[in-house]
Amino acid sequence: MRKNIDIDEVTLTKLKLLSVFEDNSVKGLMEEAVTWFVAEKTKQRFNKLSQEEKEDLGLLLLMQQVDRADVSSREDIMDILNEE
């Protein structure tokens, strides 16, 4: 996706200097910065969740990975539950 943003001259100059030291383009540096920022905010948000909310999120992620074509019969599920 291509987006145009306005950057003041001072920040742009700093980005150009950093790009030389980092051996990366200004665009690449900005992409890395945005990726890092989003990851940090995601971590902060996750750390604010309660233990129950973390468990719910984990269950949701597992449910999204499940193969919907793989089904179990009611008897299989009841046998598993009765093993305990």
Side-chain angles (χ1 to χ4, degrees), residues 27-40:
K27 178 184 177 226
L29 281 177
M30 291 178 66
E31 288 171 348
E32 288 177 18
V34 169
T35 302
W36 177 84
F37 181 79
V38 170
E40 281 299 309

Side-chain angles (χ1 to χ4, degrees), residues 38-53:
V38 170
E40 281 299 309
K41 286 299 180 181
T42 303
K43 280 188 225 174
Q44 288 175 5
R45 193 163 177 202
F46 182 75
N47 290 335
K48 290 181 182 177
L49 294 176
S50 69
Q51 186 61 33
E52 184 177 349
E53 290 170 327

Side-chain angles (χ1 to χ4, degrees), residues 17-37:
L17 280 172
L18 282 172
S19 71
V20 170
F21 291 125
E22 295 291 321
D23 194 29
N24 200 349
S25 67
V26 172
K27 178 184 177 226
L29 281 177
M30 291 178 66
E31 288 171 348
E32 288 177 18
V34 169
T35 302
W36 177 84
F37 181 79

